[in-house]
Amino acid sequence: MDSDLKNYSVSLNLMQLYTTREIEQLQRHEDLPYLIEIMEWVKNFLGRPHPKLGRTGAVCPFVPLSLKSNSIRLAVIHTKHLYPEQLEEIVKSYRDIFLEMDVKGQELAINKAFLLIFPDIHIEDAPKQVDSIQQKLKPLFVESGLMIGEFHKRNESPGLHNPNFRPLRSPIPLLAIRFMVEADLPFLQSPADLHLRIRYLEAYLKRFGQNFTDETKFTNAHQALSLAKEQLKKENLVSYCI
């Protein structure tokens, strides 16, 4: 793809990010229905307890504080005339914006989140289009100290505390960007691909260094990394012998 076309598509689709308070004040905007629908989903689903969650507290424990500090920003991205490579560049550009954006007022960096909404992606196409972008870009985000999550109505990812709960289902397909936290360890040690698992665990340990607040997670991450490296070494040895 021509680089000028790629740069043009990125600049054209880097739409404005709105906080939830700004959305509440918007009166006329072509994307207002999408912004409102996701804002309400954040408040009434992610930000509240759920009987099937399997633990106490909100579905996403950071959302209540993020809403209180006005730290969640939403953008609507229209994908109808974009190549997959163009959409990937746009999402990567939001990663850069996320890292460069300073927190303001009562915001806390750990509560900052971007929600990139894709209203043009059909529900049936979301598993292929949204999931593929998330899987391709996740290593880049993780190594930047970030997490990127895929949300849509067909998401079958189970909850950590209840395998029958589906916490990543949203009314409109979207990708969420936030800072990595210590509690993300289960998501980073789960890939079956040992190379990817090692890459994630190394990024996790680099992110927190010696500043872990939970020593158990520090120990578990080191153990998981050592085990993954040992498994990879054995697989390489077997392959060499064969």
Side-chain angles (χ1 to χ4, degrees), residues 11-235:
S11 62
L12 185 64
N13 285 277
L14 282 180
M15 308 302 291
Q16 183 172 349
L17 288 154
Y18 295 96
T19 67
T20 54
R21 292 177 192 170
E22 288 171 338
I23 293 171
E24 290 170 349
Q25 295 172 2
L26 284 176
Q27 294 183 354
R28 292 185 180 180
H29 193 292
E30 62 178 351
D31 293 325
L32 186 56
Y34 310 126
L35 294 167
I36 291 176
E37 186 170 8
I38 293 301
M39 180 182 69
E40 293 301 319
W41 167 77
V42 170
K43 291 180 177 179
N44 298 318
F45 177 73
L46 293 183
R48 292 186 178 180
H50 193 284
K52 294 184 179 180
L53 182 59
R55 61 163 172 78
T56 59
V59 172
C60 179
F62 292 95
V63 163
L65 287 175
S66 296
L67 288 171
K68 185 176 180 180
S69 60
N70 202 34
S71 303
I72 299 175
R73 293 172 173 82
L74 295 79
V76 175
I77 301 173
H78 290 283
T79 60
K80 194 173 297 183
H81 302 295
L82 294 177
Y83 295 109
E85 296 82 3
Q86 291 173 310
L87 183 53
E88 289 171 15
E89 289 299 321
I90 290 168
V91 175
K92 284 195 289 185
S93 296
Y94 275 103
R95 179 206 64 152
D96 298 339
I97 294 172
F98 187 95
L99 291 170
E100 294 168 2
M101 180 180 288
D102 293 328
V103 295
K104 300 177 181 179
Q106 63 176 334
E107 287 188 70
L108 295 175
I110 198 64
N111 294 323
K112 184 171 68 172
F114 284 4
L115 301 181
L116 310 182
I117 306 165
F118 309 115
D120 298 340
I121 295 179
H122 192 272
I123 293 171
E124 300 300 331
D125 297 328
K128 178 180 179 180
Q129 296 186 31
V130 179
D131 293 7
S132 64
I133 294 173
Q134 189 268 351
Q135 291 166 10
K136 185 170 183 178
L137 296 184
K138 185 173 179 178
L140 174 67
F141 277 72
V142 168
E143 290 176 344
S144 300
L146 306 177
M147 296 293 286
I148 179 171
E150 75 285 14
F151 292 77
H152 50 78
K153 286 185 177 180
R154 295 293 184 267
N155 194 310
E156 294 296 330
S157 299
L160 285 177
H161 303 277
N162 179 3
N164 296 316
F165 182 55
R166 299 291 180 267
L168 303 185
R169 288 183 175 173
S170 60
I172 304 173
L174 64 87
L175 287 169
I177 302 171
R178 61 170 174 80
F179 279 114
M180 184 190 299
V181 297
E182 290 180 37
D184 287 322
L185 180 58
F187 306 117
L188 300 174
Q189 64 182 13
S190 61
D193 185 315
L194 289 172
H195 292 280
L196 196 57
R197 193 189 312 170
I198 290 169
R199 191 172 171 183
Y200 286 171
L201 289 168
E202 287 178 340
Y204 178 81
L205 288 166
K206 181 180 178 181
R207 163 75 174 163
F208 298 106
Q210 301 300 318
N211 298 318
F212 277 85
T213 59
D214 186 338
E215 288 298 322
T216 300
K217 288 187 173 58
F218 174 78
T219 301
N220 290 345
H222 272 289
Q223 290 176 343
L225 179 59
S226 297
L227 180 60
K229 288 182 175 179
E230 184 178 339
Q231 288 179 310
L232 182 61
K233 185 177 180 180
K234 288 180 180 178
E235 288 187 4

